[in-house]
C-alpha cells in the first residue's frame, strides 16, 4: 500500500472543518491528519473531540507556541493554513523552512511586505504553496473560462465587474477580526482576492496599475442612530438593544457558534459578535477600483457590503461581442451552518451578445454545495489529484496567490494617497503564473451585412 500524505492544520475556526473532514474521512485512502494546532486551547480540544466522536480517530493537538515541535514530532508533508489572514505568512514561511509544503486559505497574505517574505522563502526552500481559490473550480465560473477560451467574444478589451455582499454576509465582516485592516487587509484584500484572482485567471494576465477609492458609510454609528438604536453595546451578547436590532448575532442559538466561539472566548477574548456599527471599524464598505492589465484589458470593479442580495454581475467586452454572467448566491453567515456561496438557480445565468447577430443564453454548468460546487472539486484537486492535467489550469500557486492580493494591496495604497499605483513596484521577483492559452488576436473579424 502507498504511503498516505500526512497533513497538519493550523487555525481551527469556522473554515477548518471542511479541510479536516476531507483529510480525516473523505480522502482517508490517500490522506491522513497527523496534528492540529491553534492558539485557543478550547477550539483545539473541540476539534480533537469532534474527530473522535465523528470518525473514531485520535489526532494530536498542539498550541500555537508549539508549532515547530508539532512539525518535528508528527512529520507532516503538508501544512494547511486556516488562521486569520494576517498570520498566514508566518505559518506559510515557517512550514516551508521546516521542510513542508503548504495549502493556504485565501488571501495568501495581506500586504506587500508579508507577500515578499513568502516569495523569498518559497524561492529559498523550493517548497510548494497552493492557495485554495475555490471559485475557479465552481462549474459556472469554469464555464465562463471555457467560453472565453473558445474565442466566442474575440479578444477581450474591457471588463465591468460588480460584487454585492448582502446585509447578512456583508455585515459579518464588520463583527470580528476582518473589521480591521491590520488583520484582514480590508475587503479589497480579504474578500476581493477571490474576485481579482478570477479576473487574472479568466483573462490569463496580471494587473499593472490600480486606482481606487473606498469609504465606510453604512456600518457606522450614524446608521445605528438612523435605525433608532440609541445605545448599541460593544457586542451583541448582552446588548441592551439586541431585541431591536436585525444585525444582532445571537451565538447562543445560531448553528455551531456557541461551542466554536462563545464557549471559547474565555481562553483568548476573541469576540465573534462585535457591533457592526462600532467606531473602531477601519475597513471600507463601498469600494471602486479601476485596473489596467498587462495584456491591455481595463477593468472597472465595485464591491458593496450592504446589499439586498449576494452575488455578482460581470461583463466581458470583446472584439466579437459581449459575455454577461450573473450569479446570485444564497444567504450565508459563517458558522451558522448554512452553505457558503450556494447558487440560486433562478438568479444565475450567462448570456452571449455577438456583434451583428441575436443574443443567446447558454445552459449554465450546474454546481452544488459550497461556493457554487467549487469547494468539493477544489478539495479533491488539492488533496489527491494535484498532478492531473487540467484544461483550465485551475491549480493556483504562490504566484497566483500573490497577484490576486496585489490588486487589493495597490488599491489600499491608492485609497490612502489618491494616486494610481504600479503593481510591479510593490514586490520583486514575481513571475506570471501559468495560464491556459487564450485565443490569439490576429484572426480576421467578420461582419454580417444587412439589418439584424
Ligand atoms: N475560501 C473561502 O471561501 C473562505 C471562507 C471562509 C474563510 N476563509 C479563510 O479561512 C481563514 C480562517 O477563517 P475563519 O472564518 O475560519 O476564521 P476564524 O476566526 O473562525 O478562525 C481562525 C482560527 O485561527 C486561530 N488563531 C488565531 N491566532 C492564532 C495563532 N497565532 N496561531 C494559530 N491559530 C490562531 C483562532 O483561534 C481561530 O480558531 C481566513 O484566512 C479566511 O479568509 C476562506
Amino acid at each position: 500500500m502507498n504511503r498516505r500524505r500526512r497533513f497538519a492544520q493550523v487555525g481551527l475556526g469556522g473554515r477548518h472543518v471542511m479541510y479536516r473532514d476531507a483529510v480525516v474521512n473523505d480522502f482517508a485512502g490517500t490522506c491522513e491528519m497527523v496534528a492540529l494546532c491553534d492558539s485557543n486551547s478550547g477550539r483545539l480540544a473541540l476539534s480533537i473531540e469532534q474527530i473522535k466522536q465523528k470518525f473514531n480517530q485520535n489526532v494530536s493537538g498542539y498550541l500555537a507556541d508549539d508549532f515547530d515541535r508539532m512539525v518535528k514530532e508528527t512529520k507532516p508533508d503538508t501544512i494547511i493554513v486556516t488562521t486569520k489572514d494576517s498570520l498566514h505568512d508566518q505559518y506559510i514561511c515557517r512550514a516551508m523552512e521546516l521542510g513542508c509544503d503548504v495549502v493556504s486559505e485565501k488571501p495568501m497574505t495581506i500586504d506587500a511586505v508579508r507577500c515578499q517574505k513568502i516569495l523569498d522563502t518559497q524561492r529559498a526552500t523550493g517548497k510548494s504553496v497552493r492557495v485554495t481559490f475555490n471559485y475557479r473550480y465552481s462549474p459556472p465560473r469554469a464555464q465562463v473560462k471555457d467560453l472565453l477560451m473558445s474565442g466566442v467574444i474575440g479578444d477581450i478589451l474591457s471588463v465591468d465587474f460588480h460584487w454585492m455582499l448582502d446585509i447578512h454576509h456583508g455585515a459579518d465582516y464588520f463583527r470580528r477580526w476582518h473589521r480591521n485592516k491590520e488583520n484582514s487587509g480590508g475587503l479589497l484584500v480579504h474578500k476581493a482576492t477571490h474576485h481579482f484572482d478570477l479576473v487574472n485567471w479568466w483573462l490569463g494576465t496580471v494587473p499593472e496599475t490600480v486606482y481606487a477609492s473606498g469609504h465606510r458609510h453604512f456600518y457606522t454609528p450614524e446608521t445605528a442612530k438612523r435605525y433608532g438604536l440609541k445605545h448599541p453595546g460593544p457586542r451583541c451578547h448582552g446588548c441592551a438593544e439586541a431585541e431591536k436590532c436585525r444585525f444582532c448575532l445571537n451565538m447562543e442559538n445560531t448553528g455551531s457558534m456557541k461551542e466554536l466561539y462563545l464557549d471559547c472566548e474565555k481562553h483568548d477574548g476573541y469576540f465573534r459578535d462585535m457591533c457592526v456599527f462600532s467606531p473602531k471599524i477601519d475597513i471600507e464598505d463601498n469600494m471602486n477600483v479601476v485596473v489596467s492589465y498587462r495584456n491591455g484589458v481595463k477593468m472597472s470593479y465595485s464591491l458593496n457590503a450592504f446589499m439586498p442580495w449576494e452575488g455578482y454581475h460581470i461583463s466581458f467586452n470583446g472584439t466579437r461581442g459581449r459575455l454577461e454572467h450573473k450569479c446570485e448566491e444564497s444567504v450565508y453567515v459563517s458558522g451558522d451552518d448554512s452553505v457558503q456561496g450556494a447558487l440560486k438557480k433562478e438568479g444565475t445565468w450567462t448570456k452571449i451578445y455577438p456583434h451583428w447577430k441575436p443574443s443567446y443564453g447558454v445552459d449554465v454548468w450546474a454546481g452544488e454545495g459550497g461556493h457554487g460546487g467549487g469547494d468539493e472539486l477544489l478539495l479533491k484537486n488539492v488533496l489527491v489529484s494535484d498532478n492531473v492535467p487540467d484544461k483550465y489550469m485551475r491549480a493556483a500557486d504562490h504566484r497566483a496567490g500573490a497577484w490576486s492580493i496585489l490588486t487589493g494591496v495597490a488599491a489600499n495604497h491608492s485609497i490612502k494617497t489618491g494616486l494610481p499605483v504600479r503593481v510591479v513596484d510593490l514586490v520583486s521577483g514575481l513571475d506570471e503564473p501559468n495560464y491556459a492559452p487564450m485565443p490569439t488576436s490576429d484572426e480576421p473579424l467578420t461582419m454580417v451585412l444587412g439589418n439584424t
Side-chain angles (χ1 to χ4, degrees), residues 10-16 37-40 43 64 82-85 87-88 91 105-107 132 134 176-177 190 194 261 268 270 334 340 371:
V10 56
L12 309 179
R15 190 64 176 160
H16 112 277
C37 178
D38 200 286
S39 54
N40 185 301
R43 270 189 288 280
T82 45
T83 56
K84 68 177 177 180
D85 306 347
L87 299 171
H88 288 184
Y91 285 111
E105 256 304 345
K106 52 52 56 175
T132 51
N134 38 15
R176 49 182 182 146
W177 52 263
H190 173 81
H194 273 310
Y261 300 109
D268 58 6
Y270 166 17
S334 172
Q340 180 170 14
H371 295 92

mmCIF file of all heavy atoms in Angstrom, residues 10-16 37-40 43 64 82-85 87-88 91 105-107 132 134 176-177 190 194 261 268 270 334 340 371, ligand 1:
data_model
loop_
_atom_site.group_PDB
_atom_site.id
_atom_site.type_symbol
_atom_site.label_atom_id
_atom_site.label_comp_id
_atom_site.label_asym_id
_atom_site.label_seq_id
_atom_site.Cartn_x
_atom_site.Cartn_y
_atom_site.Cartn_z
ATOM 1 N N VAL A 10 -3.292 24.301 10.875
ATOM 2 C CA VAL A 10 -3.180 25.355 11.889
ATOM 3 C C VAL A 10 -4.294 26.382 11.663
ATOM 4 O O VAL A 10 -4.486 26.857 10.540
ATOM 5 C CB VAL A 10 -1.770 26.001 11.890
ATOM 6 C CG1 VAL A 10 -1.381 26.567 10.522
ATOM 7 C CG2 VAL A 10 -1.667 27.093 12.942
ATOM 8 N N GLY A 11 -5.041 26.699 12.747
ATOM 9 C CA GLY A 11 -6.193 27.596 12.656
ATOM 10 C C GLY A 11 -7.465 26.769 12.594
ATOM 11 O O GLY A 11 -7.810 26.216 11.551
ATOM 12 N N LEU A 12 -8.158 26.644 13.732
ATOM 13 C CA LEU A 12 -9.255 25.671 13.837
ATOM 14 C C LEU A 12 -10.602 26.353 14.044
ATOM 15 O O LEU A 12 -11.418 25.920 14.850
ATOM 16 C CB LEU A 12 -8.964 24.695 14.985
ATOM 17 C CG LEU A 12 -7.572 24.049 14.954
ATOM 18 C CD1 LEU A 12 -7.381 23.127 16.150
ATOM 19 C CD2 LEU A 12 -7.338 23.286 13.651
ATOM 20 N N GLY A 13 -10.860 27.427 13.264
ATOM 21 C CA GLY A 13 -12.142 28.124 13.366
ATOM 22 C C GLY A 13 -13.140 27.588 12.364
ATOM 23 O O GLY A 13 -13.107 26.415 11.975
ATOM 24 N N GLY A 14 -14.034 28.486 11.898
ATOM 25 C CA GLY A 14 -15.130 28.082 11.026
ATOM 26 C C GLY A 14 -14.676 27.355 9.771
ATOM 27 O O GLY A 14 -15.296 26.376 9.343
ATOM 28 N N ARG A 15 -13.620 27.821 9.137
ATOM 29 C CA ARG A 15 -13.230 27.268 7.842
ATOM 30 C C ARG A 15 -12.482 25.943 7.953
ATOM 31 O O ARG A 15 -12.402 25.201 6.986
ATOM 32 C CB ARG A 15 -12.345 28.288 7.129
ATOM 33 C CG ARG A 15 -12.033 27.972 5.677
ATOM 34 C CD ARG A 15 -13.248 27.977 4.811
ATOM 35 N NE ARG A 15 -12.955 27.767 3.399
ATOM 36 C CZ ARG A 15 -13.853 27.369 2.527
ATOM 37 N NH1 ARG A 15 -15.089 27.126 2.883
ATOM 38 N NH2 ARG A 15 -13.522 27.204 1.261
ATOM 39 N N HIS A 16 -11.942 25.638 9.092
ATOM 40 C CA HIS A 16 -11.033 24.481 9.163
ATOM 41 C C HIS A 16 -11.748 23.153 8.994
ATOM 42 O O HIS A 16 -11.186 22.182 8.496
ATOM 43 C CB HIS A 16 -10.231 24.531 10.469
ATOM 44 C CG HIS A 16 -10.554 23.462 11.457
ATOM 45 N ND1 HIS A 16 -11.613 23.553 12.325
ATOM 46 C CD2 HIS A 16 -9.973 22.272 11.705
ATOM 47 C CE1 HIS A 16 -11.654 22.463 13.080
ATOM 48 N NE2 HIS A 16 -10.674 21.677 12.721
ATOM 49 N N CYS A 37 -3.395 22.435 15.269
ATOM 50 C CA CYS A 37 -2.741 23.490 16.038
ATOM 51 C C CYS A 37 -3.611 24.741 16.074
ATOM 52 O O CYS A 37 -4.208 25.119 15.055
ATOM 53 C CB CYS A 37 -1.407 23.802 15.355
ATOM 54 S SG CYS A 37 -0.468 25.132 16.118
ATOM 55 N N ASP A 38 -3.701 25.380 17.226
ATOM 56 C CA ASP A 38 -4.437 26.648 17.356
ATOM 57 C C ASP A 38 -3.908 27.367 18.591
ATOM 58 O O ASP A 38 -3.338 26.732 19.491
ATOM 59 C CB ASP A 38 -5.948 26.389 17.495
ATOM 60 C CG ASP A 38 -6.789 27.619 17.142
ATOM 61 O OD1 ASP A 38 -6.826 28.582 17.947
ATOM 62 O OD2 ASP A 38 -7.415 27.609 16.061
ATOM 63 N N SER A 39 -4.102 28.670 18.634
ATOM 64 C CA SER A 39 -3.698 29.414 19.834
ATOM 65 C C SER A 39 -4.762 29.296 20.927
ATOM 66 O O SER A 39 -4.492 29.616 22.084
ATOM 67 C CB SER A 39 -3.496 30.890 19.478
ATOM 68 O OG SER A 39 -4.662 31.383 18.854
ATOM 69 N N ASN A 40 -5.963 28.849 20.567
ATOM 70 C CA ASN A 40 -7.071 28.779 21.529
ATOM 71 C C ASN A 40 -7.249 27.321 21.971
ATOM 72 O O ASN A 40 -7.639 26.454 21.167
ATOM 73 C CB ASN A 40 -8.343 29.309 20.854
ATOM 74 C CG ASN A 40 -9.504 29.385 21.821
ATOM 75 O OD1 ASN A 40 -9.911 28.385 22.392
ATOM 76 N ND2 ASN A 40 -10.035 30.578 22.010
ATOM 77 N N ARG A 43 -10.815 25.706 21.258
ATOM 78 C CA ARG A 43 -11.112 25.235 19.891
ATOM 79 C C ARG A 43 -10.252 24.029 19.526
ATOM 80 O O ARG A 43 -10.689 23.143 18.796
ATOM 81 C CB ARG A 43 -10.915 26.362 18.878
ATOM 82 C CG ARG A 43 -12.199 27.170 18.654
ATOM 83 C CD ARG A 43 -12.072 28.138 17.490
ATOM 84 N NE ARG A 43 -11.218 29.243 17.812
ATOM 85 C CZ ARG A 43 -11.596 30.305 18.531
ATOM 86 N NH1 ARG A 43 -12.820 30.394 18.977
ATOM 87 N NH2 ARG A 43 -10.749 31.272 18.796
ATOM 88 N N ALA A 64 -0.278 27.053 19.620
ATOM 89 C CA ALA A 64 0.478 27.786 18.594
ATOM 90 C C ALA A 64 1.974 27.888 18.915
ATOM 91 O O ALA A 64 2.820 27.759 18.028
ATOM 92 C CB ALA A 64 -0.119 29.174 18.416
ATOM 93 N N THR A 82 -5.237 27.823 8.011
ATOM 94 C CA THR A 82 -6.587 28.426 8.062
ATOM 95 C C THR A 82 -6.719 29.334 9.293
ATOM 96 O O THR A 82 -7.743 29.354 9.958
ATOM 97 C CB THR A 82 -7.685 27.339 8.074
ATOM 98 O OG1 THR A 82 -7.311 26.312 9.009
ATOM 99 C CG2 THR A 82 -7.917 26.729 6.726
ATOM 100 N N THR A 83 -5.652 30.046 9.614
ATOM 101 C CA THR A 83 -5.721 31.045 10.692
ATOM 102 C C THR A 83 -6.268 32.351 10.098
ATOM 103 O O THR A 83 -6.570 32.414 8.919
ATOM 104 C CB THR A 83 -4.313 31.359 11.240
ATOM 105 O OG1 THR A 83 -3.514 31.789 10.135
ATOM 106 C CG2 THR A 83 -3.690 30.156 11.879
ATOM 107 N N LYS A 84 -6.344 33.399 10.941
ATOM 108 C CA LYS A 84 -6.755 34.686 10.366
ATOM 109 C C LYS A 84 -5.669 35.175 9.406
ATOM 110 O O LYS A 84 -4.495 34.792 9.515
ATOM 111 C CB LYS A 84 -7.082 35.698 11.461
ATOM 112 C CG LYS A 84 -5.925 36.167 12.289
ATOM 113 C CD LYS A 84 -6.399 37.233 13.284
ATOM 114 C CE LYS A 84 -5.252 37.648 14.178
ATOM 115 N NZ LYS A 84 -5.610 38.659 15.158
ATOM 116 N N ASP A 85 -6.093 36.037 8.477
ATOM 117 C CA ASP A 85 -5.263 36.381 7.318
ATOM 118 C C ASP A 85 -3.876 36.933 7.658
ATOM 119 O O ASP A 85 -2.887 36.596 7.016
ATOM 120 C CB ASP A 85 -5.983 37.437 6.459
ATOM 121 C CG ASP A 85 -7.390 37.013 6.058
ATOM 122 O OD1 ASP A 85 -7.728 35.825 6.234
ATOM 123 O OD2 ASP A 85 -8.142 37.876 5.583
ATOM 124 N N LEU A 87 -1.887 36.277 9.836
ATOM 125 C CA LEU A 87 -0.923 35.298 10.355
ATOM 126 C C LEU A 87 -0.503 34.274 9.301
ATOM 127 O O LEU A 87 0.373 33.453 9.554
ATOM 128 C CB LEU A 87 -1.537 34.544 11.548
ATOM 129 C CG LEU A 87 -1.925 35.401 12.744
ATOM 130 C CD1 LEU A 87 -2.708 34.575 13.751
ATOM 131 C CD2 LEU A 87 -0.689 35.998 13.383
ATOM 132 N N HIS A 88 -1.133 34.322 8.122
ATOM 133 C CA HIS A 88 -0.826 33.310 7.107
ATOM 134 C C HIS A 88 0.670 33.269 6.784
ATOM 135 O O HIS A 88 1.276 32.200 6.723
ATOM 136 C CB HIS A 88 -1.612 33.571 5.820
ATOM 137 C CG HIS A 88 -3.082 33.269 5.928
ATOM 138 N ND1 HIS A 88 -3.941 33.368 4.867
ATOM 139 C CD2 HIS A 88 -3.858 32.874 6.967
ATOM 140 C CE1 HIS A 88 -5.167 33.047 5.243
ATOM 141 N NE2 HIS A 88 -5.142 32.759 6.515
ATOM 142 N N TYR A 91 2.922 31.330 9.224
ATOM 143 C CA TYR A 91 2.848 29.857 9.177
ATOM 144 C C TYR A 91 3.286 29.297 7.827
ATOM 145 O O TYR A 91 3.913 28.238 7.765
ATOM 146 C CB TYR A 91 1.435 29.391 9.540
ATOM 147 C CG TYR A 91 1.176 29.512 11.026
ATOM 148 C CD1 TYR A 91 0.281 30.434 11.527
ATOM 149 C CD2 TYR A 91 1.882 28.722 11.931
ATOM 150 C CE1 TYR A 91 0.071 30.568 12.891
ATOM 151 C CE2 TYR A 91 1.679 28.849 13.296
ATOM 152 C CZ TYR A 91 0.772 29.775 13.768
ATOM 153 O OH TYR A 91 0.582 29.906 15.129
ATOM 154 N N GLU A 105 -5.381 28.970 2.866
ATOM 155 C CA GLU A 105 -6.610 29.664 2.523
ATOM 156 C C GLU A 105 -6.259 31.030 1.949
ATOM 157 O O GLU A 105 -5.181 31.568 2.167
ATOM 158 C CB GLU A 105 -7.498 29.830 3.775
ATOM 159 C CG GLU A 105 -8.669 28.879 3.829
ATOM 160 C CD GLU A 105 -9.588 28.952 2.592
ATOM 161 O OE1 GLU A 105 -9.509 29.911 1.817
ATOM 162 O OE2 GLU A 105 -10.380 28.028 2.420
ATOM 163 N N LYS A 106 -7.206 31.579 1.216
ATOM 164 C CA LYS A 106 -7.076 32.948 0.725
ATOM 165 C C LYS A 106 -7.385 33.900 1.853
ATOM 166 O O LYS A 106 -8.084 33.498 2.774
ATOM 167 C CB LYS A 106 -7.982 33.207 -0.473
ATOM 168 C CG LYS A 106 -9.467 32.837 -0.327
ATOM 169 C CD LYS A 106 -10.345 33.289 0.799
ATOM 170 C CE LYS A 106 -10.509 34.732 1.086
ATOM 171 N NZ LYS A 106 -11.525 35.002 2.162
ATOM 172 N N PRO A 107 -6.929 35.147 1.812
ATOM 173 C CA PRO A 107 -5.888 35.658 0.936
ATOM 174 C C PRO A 107 -4.543 35.076 1.376
ATOM 175 O O PRO A 107 -4.348 34.837 2.566
ATOM 176 C CB PRO A 107 -5.943 37.161 1.207
ATOM 177 C CG PRO A 107 -6.414 37.277 2.624
ATOM 178 C CD PRO A 107 -7.365 36.147 2.824
ATOM 179 N N THR A 132 -6.026 28.219 -2.084
ATOM 180 C CA THR A 132 -7.250 27.481 -2.415
ATOM 181 C C THR A 132 -8.349 28.398 -2.958
ATOM 182 O O THR A 132 -9.283 28.762 -2.241
ATOM 183 C CB THR A 132 -7.744 26.699 -1.185
ATOM 184 O OG1 THR A 132 -7.804 27.585 -0.067
ATOM 185 C CG2 THR A 132 -6.813 25.563 -0.859
ATOM 186 N N ASN A 134 -11.344 28.466 -4.487
ATOM 187 C CA ASN A 134 -12.447 27.554 -4.795
ATOM 188 C C ASN A 134 -13.338 28.041 -5.941
ATOM 189 O O ASN A 134 -13.910 27.238 -6.666
ATOM 190 C CB ASN A 134 -13.306 27.310 -3.538
ATOM 191 C CG ASN A 134 -13.456 28.561 -2.693
ATOM 192 O OD1 ASN A 134 -13.164 29.661 -3.141
ATOM 193 N ND2 ASN A 134 -13.923 28.404 -1.474
ATOM 194 N N ARG A 176 -16.046 40.928 13.453
ATOM 195 C CA ARG A 176 -14.872 40.287 14.099
ATOM 196 C C ARG A 176 -13.579 40.765 13.463
ATOM 197 O O ARG A 176 -13.549 41.857 12.909
ATOM 198 C CB ARG A 176 -15.021 38.776 14.092
ATOM 199 C CG ARG A 176 -15.395 38.185 12.756
ATOM 200 C CD ARG A 176 -15.575 36.693 12.862
ATOM 201 N NE ARG A 176 -15.892 36.107 11.585
ATOM 202 C CZ ARG A 176 -15.502 34.921 11.192
ATOM 203 N NH1 ARG A 176 -14.764 34.186 11.990
ATOM 204 N NH2 ARG A 176 -15.834 34.444 10.028
ATOM 205 N N TRP A 177 -12.525 39.944 13.494
ATOM 206 C CA TRP A 177 -11.198 40.446 13.145
ATOM 207 C C TRP A 177 -11.118 41.087 11.759
ATOM 208 O O TRP A 177 -10.314 41.995 11.530
ATOM 209 C CB TRP A 177 -10.134 39.359 13.306
ATOM 210 C CG TRP A 177 -10.385 38.041 12.620
ATOM 211 C CD1 TRP A 177 -10.922 36.918 13.187
ATOM 212 C CD2 TRP A 177 -10.096 37.689 11.254
ATOM 213 N NE1 TRP A 177 -10.997 35.895 12.262
ATOM 214 C CE2 TRP A 177 -10.482 36.337 11.074
ATOM 215 C CE3 TRP A 177 -9.547 38.361 10.179
ATOM 216 C CZ2 TRP A 177 -10.344 35.655 9.862
ATOM 217 C CZ3 TRP A 177 -9.407 37.688 8.962
ATOM 218 C CH2 TRP A 177 -9.808 36.359 8.819
ATOM 219 N N HIS A 190 -9.117 40.867 1.701
ATOM 220 C CA HIS A 190 -9.726 39.667 2.283
ATOM 221 C C HIS A 190 -10.759 39.026 1.358
ATOM 222 O O HIS A 190 -10.744 37.819 1.123
ATOM 223 C CB HIS A 190 -10.394 39.994 3.624
ATOM 224 C CG HIS A 190 -11.161 38.837 4.161
ATOM 225 N ND1 HIS A 190 -10.562 37.801 4.832
ATOM 226 C CD2 HIS A 190 -12.476 38.513 4.067
ATOM 227 C CE1 HIS A 190 -11.475 36.900 5.146
ATOM 228 N NE2 HIS A 190 -12.643 37.306 4.687
ATOM 229 N N HIS A 194 -10.506 36.818 -4.061
ATOM 230 C CA HIS A 194 -11.250 35.852 -4.884
ATOM 231 C C HIS A 194 -11.562 36.449 -6.249
ATOM 232 O O HIS A 194 -11.391 35.819 -7.283
ATOM 233 C CB HIS A 194 -12.612 35.560 -4.245
ATOM 234 C CG HIS A 194 -12.626 34.465 -3.234
ATOM 235 N ND1 HIS A 194 -12.092 33.225 -3.457
ATOM 236 C CD2 HIS A 194 -13.179 34.409 -1.991
ATOM 237 C CE1 HIS A 194 -12.303 32.455 -2.393
ATOM 238 N NE2 HIS A 194 -12.952 33.151 -1.483
ATOM 239 N N TYR A 261 -17.239 29.524 19.250
ATOM 240 C CA TYR A 261 -16.773 30.870 19.615
ATOM 241 C C TYR A 261 -17.133 31.276 21.048
ATOM 242 O O TYR A 261 -16.255 31.586 21.843
ATOM 243 C CB TYR A 261 -17.317 31.902 18.617
ATOM 244 C CG TYR A 261 -16.885 31.659 17.196
ATOM 245 C CD1 TYR A 261 -17.792 31.213 16.230
ATOM 246 C CD2 TYR A 261 -15.563 31.862 16.795
ATOM 247 C CE1 TYR A 261 -17.391 30.986 14.911
ATOM 248 C CE2 TYR A 261 -15.151 31.636 15.483
ATOM 249 C CZ TYR A 261 -16.079 31.196 14.548
ATOM 250 O OH TYR A 261 -15.678 30.971 13.256
ATOM 251 N N ASP A 268 -9.117 33.455 25.085
ATOM 252 C CA ASP A 268 -8.311 34.481 24.401
ATOM 253 C C ASP A 268 -9.029 35.811 24.167
ATOM 254 O O ASP A 268 -8.454 36.725 23.553
ATOM 255 C CB ASP A 268 -7.805 33.952 23.034
ATOM 256 C CG ASP A 268 -8.945 33.533 22.114
ATOM 257 O OD1 ASP A 268 -10.118 33.756 22.465
ATOM 258 O OD2 ASP A 268 -8.659 32.972 21.038
ATOM 259 N N TYR A 270 -11.443 36.489 22.124
ATOM 260 C CA TYR A 270 -11.856 36.680 20.727
ATOM 261 C C TYR A 270 -13.385 36.693 20.686
ATOM 262 O O TYR A 270 -14.020 35.670 20.880
ATOM 263 C CB TYR A 270 -11.272 35.567 19.866
ATOM 264 C CG TYR A 270 -11.845 35.401 18.453
ATOM 265 C CD1 TYR A 270 -12.589 36.391 17.816
ATOM 266 C CD2 TYR A 270 -11.586 34.232 17.739
ATOM 267 C CE1 TYR A 270 -13.084 36.223 16.523
ATOM 268 C CE2 TYR A 270 -12.074 34.042 16.450
ATOM 269 C CZ TYR A 270 -12.825 35.040 15.858
ATOM 270 O OH TYR A 270 -13.318 34.857 14.588
ATOM 271 N N SER A 334 -21.003 32.981 8.302
ATOM 272 C CA SER A 334 -20.014 31.973 8.691
ATOM 273 C C SER A 334 -20.297 31.407 10.079
ATOM 274 O O SER A 334 -20.410 32.163 11.044
ATOM 275 C CB SER A 334 -18.620 32.608 8.670
ATOM 276 O OG SER A 334 -17.686 31.719 9.214
ATOM 277 N N GLN A 340 -21.909 28.142 2.314
ATOM 278 C CA GLN A 340 -21.425 29.420 1.782
ATOM 279 C C GLN A 340 -21.392 29.404 0.252
ATOM 280 O O GLN A 340 -20.864 28.480 -0.359
ATOM 281 C CB GLN A 340 -20.021 29.747 2.299
ATOM 282 C CG GLN A 340 -19.528 31.089 1.747
ATOM 283 C CD GLN A 340 -18.256 31.585 2.405
ATOM 284 O OE1 GLN A 340 -17.581 30.853 3.091
ATOM 285 N NE2 GLN A 340 -17.928 32.839 2.162
ATOM 286 N N HIS A 371 -19.599 27.396 -2.335
ATOM 287 C CA HIS A 371 -19.030 28.195 -3.416
ATOM 288 C C HIS A 371 -19.383 27.634 -4.793
ATOM 289 O O HIS A 371 -18.519 27.375 -5.634
ATOM 290 C CB HIS A 371 -17.516 28.338 -3.231
ATOM 291 C CG HIS A 371 -17.187 29.101 -1.994
ATOM 292 N ND1 HIS A 371 -16.970 28.479 -0.781
ATOM 293 C CD2 HIS A 371 -17.102 30.423 -1.755
ATOM 294 C CE1 HIS A 371 -16.740 29.404 0.140
ATOM 295 N NE2 HIS A 371 -16.823 30.582 -0.414
HETATM 296 N N1 LIG B 1 -12.182 30.350 0.636
HETATM 297 C C1 LIG B 1 -13.225 30.751 1.317
HETATM 298 O O1 LIG B 1 -14.261 30.864 0.731
HETATM 299 C C2 LIG B 1 -13.111 31.044 2.789
HETATM 300 C C3 LIG B 1 -14.248 31.056 3.596
HETATM 301 C C4 LIG B 1 -14.103 31.356 4.956
HETATM 302 C C5 LIG B 1 -12.841 31.637 5.460
HETATM 303 N N2 LIG B 1 -11.754 31.621 4.649
HETATM 304 C C6 LIG B 1 -10.410 31.914 5.173
HETATM 305 O O2 LIG B 1 -10.093 30.964 6.173
HETATM 306 C C7 LIG B 1 -9.297 31.571 7.187
HETATM 307 C C8 LIG B 1 -9.955 31.319 8.544
HETATM 308 O O3 LIG B 1 -11.215 31.946 8.576
HETATM 309 P P1 LIG B 1 -12.296 31.520 9.674
HETATM 310 O O4 LIG B 1 -13.584 32.078 9.252
HETATM 311 O O5 LIG B 1 -12.171 30.077 9.959
HETATM 312 O O6 LIG B 1 -11.763 32.363 10.943
HETATM 313 P P2 LIG B 1 -11.966 32.010 12.491
HETATM 314 O O7 LIG B 1 -11.773 33.275 13.230
HETATM 315 O O8 LIG B 1 -13.237 31.270 12.658
HETATM 316 O O9 LIG B 1 -10.774 31.002 12.795
HETATM 317 C C9 LIG B 1 -9.437 31.429 12.909
HETATM 318 C C10 LIG B 1 -8.721 30.493 13.853
HETATM 319 O O10 LIG B 1 -7.347 30.894 13.932
HETATM 320 C C11 LIG B 1 -6.969 30.765 15.309
HETATM 321 N N3 LIG B 1 -5.799 31.574 15.603
HETATM 322 C C12 LIG B 1 -5.745 32.891 15.961
HETATM 323 N N4 LIG B 1 -4.480 33.252 16.221
HETATM 324 C C13 LIG B 1 -3.710 32.156 16.022
HETATM 325 C C14 LIG B 1 -2.316 31.910 16.136
HETATM 326 N N5 LIG B 1 -1.434 32.862 16.485
HETATM 327 N N6 LIG B 1 -1.876 30.667 15.845
HETATM 328 C C15 LIG B 1 -2.731 29.687 15.483
HETATM 329 N N7 LIG B 1 -4.060 29.864 15.375
HETATM 330 C C16 LIG B 1 -4.542 31.091 15.636
HETATM 331 C C17 LIG B 1 -8.207 31.194 16.079
HETATM 332 O O11 LIG B 1 -8.177 30.779 17.414
HETATM 333 C C18 LIG B 1 -9.296 30.514 15.258
HETATM 334 O O12 LIG B 1 -9.535 29.210 15.726
HETATM 335 C C19 LIG B 1 -9.186 33.038 6.820
HETATM 336 O O13 LIG B 1 -7.945 33.282 6.198
HETATM 337 C C20 LIG B 1 -10.312 33.265 5.834
HETATM 338 O O14 LIG B 1 -10.014 34.259 4.880
HETATM 339 C C21 LIG B 1 -11.878 31.314 3.330
#
